[in-house]
Amino acid sequence: MNPTASTVTTLALPHPTLLRIPTWYSDLAHDEVVLPLPPEDYNVQEVGKLWRVTISGTDEFVYLGSGPVEVVRSRAPF
């Protein structure tokens, strides 16, 4: 193998958008659901005791339930 030639290519792997929701078994843990759009395309609102996540512009429901919840970009690509 030629030591000056690189056969490794760097691919830009996407960092998916995650919906983080609380778990029933711990106040410190959360579940994560992969969402198809970028984080800025979602609205997160606390409505009384419930949390609501909708898609910006369409107000289509993504989540309605206990919280707190957040929509974030994953730190790791997968």
Side-chain angles (χ1 to χ4, degrees):
M1 180 171 176
N2 183 349
T4 60
S6 175
T7 57
V8 178
T9 58
T10 304
L11 298 176
L13 297 175
H15 293 255
T17 300
L18 301 174
L19 170 62
R20 290 189 177 155
I21 57 177
T23 60
W24 59 270
Y25 54 85
S26 171
D27 291 334
L28 301 175
H30 56 267
D31 286 327
E32 294 178 337
V33 178
V34 177
L35 298 175
L37 302 173
E40 56 272 11
D41 288 350
Y42 296 95
N43 291 321
V44 178
Q45 297 175 316
E46 185 177 6
V47 182
K49 294 183 179 184
L50 297 177
W51 287 71
R52 181 173 73 173
V53 179
T54 57
I55 298 175
S56 299
T58 66
D59 289 332
E60 181 180 342
F61 275 100
V62 175
Y63 176 83
L64 180 63
S66 61
V69 301
E70 61 182 340
V71 176
V72 297
R73 175 78 61 199
S74 172
R75 293 185 300 169
F78 61 91

